[in-house]
Every structure is written in C-alpha cells, then in structure tokens.
Amino acid sequence: MSSDIENTARRYLQAWNSGERHVVNEIAAQDLVVSYTHYPEPYHGPEAFKEMLAKTHHFFPDLSIDVRDVVADENQAFVRWTYQGTFQNGEMFGISASGQSVEVTGMTVLEIEDDMVKREEGVVDNLALMQQLGLSPGRPDSE
C-alpha cells in the first residue's frame, strides 16, 4: 500500500512542473485543500489550486520540480523536493523579473485517499528564494 501512496505522491507533485497542471485533474480530490506557510489562506478545490499554479508558472515559465525523497505511510506521504526555474515575468517580493535563476527546497505532506490527493501542506525555503532574487533580508537589531 505504501508504494501506491508513494507513486501517487510522485505523480501529483509533477503538477508543479510548467505545463503539467493537468495532473491536478487526474489525481486531486474535489475537496482538495492546499496550504503552505507563505499562503495567506489555503486553496480549496482543484480549480483554485490550478489558478495558483498558473500564477506560479507565469513567474517561472520553466519551473521544474525534482522529488528528492518520499516516505509513505498508510494514507500520507512526506516529500522532500527541490524546484528550479527562471524568474521571467512579473514582480515578487518587490523585485521585478530579470531572468534570475533560482533553486529552492521544500517539504510537503500529502494526504491520499483512494489514490486521490485530498490535502497538500508544506513549507518552502522562501528566504533562499528571496536571496536568489536579489533581496537581502535584514537582521533584527541585536540591541
């Protein structure tokens, strides 16, 4: 059973690759909830998630994800991944796109039921992303 969960997790994460949003239609449950620590609110349902992916792919049209590790247990998968892309459009964190290449790591927990992903929750190393885009976040005062 854990190998089915692992395979579903690996396939689902491919939706983050540019041009692969259709994967959401194939294996996301209708009551899908997607949340990451940097999202102000969770995304509810496959359509909302695909809209967010479209925005992400606008910023990074060549985005690709490399699944590094998957640990599966019953109905959950814990995934460690790295994404790479080129910031080509728009503005992020107050920085305009100018072709900056980025490589960012993160971790995601997926809840899977009947071969469908019901929940995606994770964290992204946005500090590394900001630094690669050219921001130098200040340190808190030590006083």
Side-chain angles (χ1 to χ4, degrees):
M1 167 114 116
S2 64
S3 66
D4 291 343
I5 297 292
E6 179 179 345
N7 291 336
T8 299
R10 286 182 181 279
R11 176 75 180 126
Y12 175 81
L13 264 287
Q14 296 310 303
W16 285 93
N17 287 323
S18 201
E20 295 292 323
R21 287 191 301 271
H22 63 87
V23 171
V24 176
N25 297 335
E26 298 169 12
I27 57 177
Q30 288 304 304
D31 58 348
L32 174 71
V33 177
V34 178
S35 62
Y36 280 80
T37 54
H38 61 282
Y39 295 166
E41 297 290 329
Y43 291 89
H44 294 274
E47 292 306 314
F49 179 47
K50 288 191 306 184
E51 288 175 20
M52 186 279 304
L53 286 173
K55 290 176 187 174
T56 300
H57 295 151
H58 172 75
F59 292 131
F60 301 96
D62 61 347
L63 188 76
S64 66
I65 192 163
D66 180 25
V67 174
R68 302 289 187 169
D69 295 301
V70 178
V71 176
D73 183 27
E74 295 187 26
N75 70 334
Q76 289 189 331
F78 302 85
V79 185
R80 186 174 65 92
W81 48 263
T82 301
Y83 75 69
Q84 298 175 343
T86 310
F87 185 32
Q88 297 179 28
N89 301 299
E91 184 177 289
M92 186 181 291
F93 305 117
I95 300 289
S96 295
S98 63
Q100 303 96 315
S101 292
V102 299
E103 182 172 300
V104 179
T105 60
M107 298 181 82
T108 299
V109 177
L110 299 173
E111 180 183 327
I112 301 168
E113 186 177 297
D114 298 324
D115 297 323
M116 303 294 279
V117 176
K118 294 183 62 74
R119 180 176 61 92
E120 174 181 356
E121 187 173 340
V123 294
V124 178
D125 186 355
N126 278 326
L127 177 58
L129 173 60
M130 294 167 72
Q131 290 171 331
Q132 291 173 57
L133 294 178
L135 282 175
S136 297
R139 295 180 188 212
D141 290 339
S142 58
E143 300 177 323

